[in-house]
Amino acid sequence: MLVRVVVRDQQGHVVPNLKKEDFQLTDNRKPQTISTFSVETPESHVIATTTGADADASADPAVAKAVAAALPQRFVSVVFDDQHLTMQDAMFVRNAASKFFDSLAASDRVGIYSTSGQFAQEFTDDHELLRKSLLKIIPHSPTAGTHDCPDISYYQADLIQNKNDTQAIAVATEDAVQCAFQGDETQQAVAQRMAQSTAGMVIGREDSSTEFVLRHMEDVLRRLAAMPGQRVMVFVSPGFIPSTLWLEFSGVIDRATKANIVINTIDARGLYTPDMGDIADAYTDPPKIAGYKASYRAAAQSAQDEVLAEFADGTGGTFFHNRNDVDEGLREAGAAPAMTYLLGFSPQNMKLDGSLHTIKVSFVHKTNYKIQARHGYFAPRHVVDPVEAAKQEIQEALFSQDEIRDLPVDLHTQFFKTDNYQAKLAVLTHVDIKGVHFRKADGRTRDDLTVATAIFDENGNYVTGGEKIVQMKLLDPTYDRMLQSGLNLKSSFDVKPGTYLVRQVVRDSEGSQLAARNGAVVIPN
């Protein structure tokens, strides 16, 4: 299991030059042996480029190399919580987000989504298109600007309905006396029934709205999980009250953790200023209870932070809050860290109970550095069928960009244009079988190689691919000859002119070893 770790100093700068010996890792508080250790930088994923083929070498190699260098490596989903944003929040974060796009690397792809489902801009590197998309981020709260009688917030309704808070009930009752009975205190009993009924209605309505937000976040996570590279969600929201929906809320964190997606959260309200209200809503509370209502709004604003903090903390992300430089927060939340440490370990004596295992990465010696890493994973519920486990391992490796070199595999690409609109892309694989584990049976040297290939376009969308199984049953002379020459394989795919990322995974059945390699090809029009 790999744990991706970013280390920052007190000024927020990434700390370089750390070694495996600097870290310690626990799984459910039990110390683990860090079996693998590597360091990644944005330059680590430089991809070899094919720029031409025998019949058509018309591409300028320098230009093609630059184009291939801009192939996607990181995917950032910026999710705006327009179900809870006020108009003031929306204007604030739209201005900040427009500056964020200038900080993106050429290999970054960004998608913009809303929790209302009203708008989605799929992953692209077109910064101008992204800026135009921001104009479509507007509040879509189903109750914005409307007020019940009595006027009860989600926070106050939660106090009444789920916590039986007597003060919250009394305030709502007095609110009903004022709005429904023009201050006639003799109607207290009726007003209280109105208050409790309205609280129940508010809980039902707002719970439904919150569930809607969580479902759309899960939709975006599913989309993000299918992208070939590092994945980050940036959730921009003023926060919300989970009320009784903590199980559903935890489900979002579980899905992100399983897909190795970091959720960075940004408080859309900026620098914390209690009870500012919405500039688009001129409603005022009855004077007699205005102080209580203001205190509930202030308490709600504080409670809303808890959700954003939990999303970040539960996935190894960062919560950016209590600051007005939201543009800088977005830049930090969406930018690739200058250096990442990859720690690998094999959990020992794991129980097959599907339980959440808590991971903690810390330093051997005390420092003031801050560690950002995932916080857990889920144990399997049953012994995984080896065939299914192999398929899952290959699938996960395909939709990544980490290069794995357990097997000595080289990848090359060629293309041949059949006409101005079509080309044949050949993916050539060379396996040095000296590093392959074989078994002897019936006088032959045996092993099966699974070779899976996926082709992605310049925005990370899957275009085509395939899988083949090479069954090797080699007589001794053939095996001796192949020891010298290696095994050469070829897969061909029909594609249109364009720029493509080629991802290939090779796995052998005997040693369960894996190789994953990246390639890039530029096919000119």
Side-chain angles (χ1 to χ4, degrees), residues 309-379:
E310 285 289 334
F311 273 135
D313 192 55
T315 60
T318 302
F319 175 30
F320 298 89
H321 62 293
N322 204 22
R323 52 192 287 177
N324 272 337
D325 58 340
V326 175
D327 56 330
E328 179 63 18
L330 273 166
R331 189 192 67 78
E332 293 177 28
M339 184 167 292
T340 301
Y341 302 96
L342 289 177
L343 280 56
F345 76 101
S346 298
Q348 302 297 314
N349 303 318
M350 182 185 296
K351 294 181 180 180
L352 304 176
D353 56 7
S355 63
L356 174 65
H357 282 234
T358 301
I359 299 173
K360 183 177 181 182
V361 180
S362 56
F363 293 109
V364 173
H365 302 292
K366 187 177 181 180
T367 72
N368 291 324
Y369 298 152
K370 179 181 178 182
I371 289 178
Q372 181 179 331
R374 66 184 296 186
H375 289 192
Y377 68 95
F378 288 85

Side-chain angles (χ1 to χ4, degrees), residues 222-239:
R222 277 191 286 270
R223 175 75 176 108
L224 188 56
M227 305 314 290
Q230 296 182 36
R231 307 153 191 151
V232 177
M233 174 185 282
V234 180
F235 184 53
V236 184
S237 171

Side-chain angles (χ1 to χ4, degrees), residues 406-439:
D406 294 344
L407 288 172
V409 172
D410 290 323
L411 172 69
H412 300 281
T413 56
Q414 296 177 345
F415 69 84
F416 303 89
K417 292 182 68 175
T418 54
D419 56 40
N420 290 334
Y421 307 102
Q422 294 290 330
K424 184 76 71 174
L425 173 60
V427 180
L428 311 175
T429 309
H430 176 80
V431 183
D432 184 348
I433 69 166
K434 296 187 187 73
V436 177
H437 294 293
F438 288 89
R439 65 181 173 90

Side-chain angles (χ1 to χ4, degrees), residues 123-331:
F123 292 104
T124 180
D125 61 348
D126 187 335
H127 295 182
E128 191 57 36
L129 178 59
L130 291 169
R131 286 190 177 89
K132 290 179 180 177
S133 299
L134 290 175
L135 299 177
K136 299 180 182 179
I137 302 299
I138 57 176
H140 282 288
S141 170
T143 59
T146 64
H147 296 275
D148 300 310
C149 176
D151 184 53
I152 301 177
S153 68
Y154 192 15
Y155 180 83
Q156 185 182 359
D158 183 51
L159 292 176
I160 295 171
Q161 192 79 358
N162 300 318
K163 300 179 175 62
N164 199 30
D165 187 295
T166 55
Q167 178 182 278
I169 294 172
V171 170
T173 299
E174 181 59 31
D175 200 349
V177 166
Q178 296 299 322
C179 69
F181 303 107
Q182 294 74 49
D184 183 356
E185 299 294 342
T186 64
Q187 300 296 319
Q188 281 274 341
V190 179
Q192 183 172 332
R193 288 195 295 270
M194 286 183 62
Q196 290 175 323
S197 175
T198 302
M201 180 186 68
V202 169
I203 285 290
R205 181 179 66 205
E206 295 297 333
D207 278 359
S208 177
S209 178
T210 300
E211 286 179 326
F212 200 65
V213 169
L214 297 177
R215 283 201 303 272
H216 275 88
M217 288 186 72
E218 288 190 328
D219 289 343
V220 176
L221 285 172
R222 277 191 286 270
R223 175 75 176 108
L224 188 56
M227 305 314 290
Q230 296 182 36
R231 307 153 191 151
V232 177
M233 174 185 282
V234 180
F235 184 53
V236 184
S237 171
F240 50 88
I241 310 297
S243 185
T244 59
L245 298 174
W246 280 103
L247 181 61
E248 292 81 354
F249 166 76
S250 297
V252 174
I253 295 177
D254 295 348
R255 181 176 292 276
T257 301
K258 289 177 180 178
N260 202 20
I261 295 172
V262 170
I263 301 178
N264 293 320
T265 56
I266 293 180
D267 190 337
R269 298 168 297 181
L271 190 63
Y272 184 70
T273 52
D275 194 26
M276 291 298 292
D278 187 348
I279 59 173
D281 187 357
Y283 178 82
T284 57
D285 296 309
K288 194 172 181 178
I289 56 171
Y292 292 106
K293 298 287 286 291
S295 71
Y296 290 145
R297 281 193 290 272
Q301 286 180 314
S302 178
Q304 288 168 210
D305 280 353
E306 188 175 349
V307 167
L308 301 180
E310 285 289 334
F311 273 135
D313 192 55
T315 60
T318 302
F319 175 30
F320 298 89
H321 62 293
N322 204 22
R323 52 192 287 177
N324 272 337
D325 58 340
V326 175
D327 56 330
E328 179 63 18
L330 273 166
R331 189 192 67 78

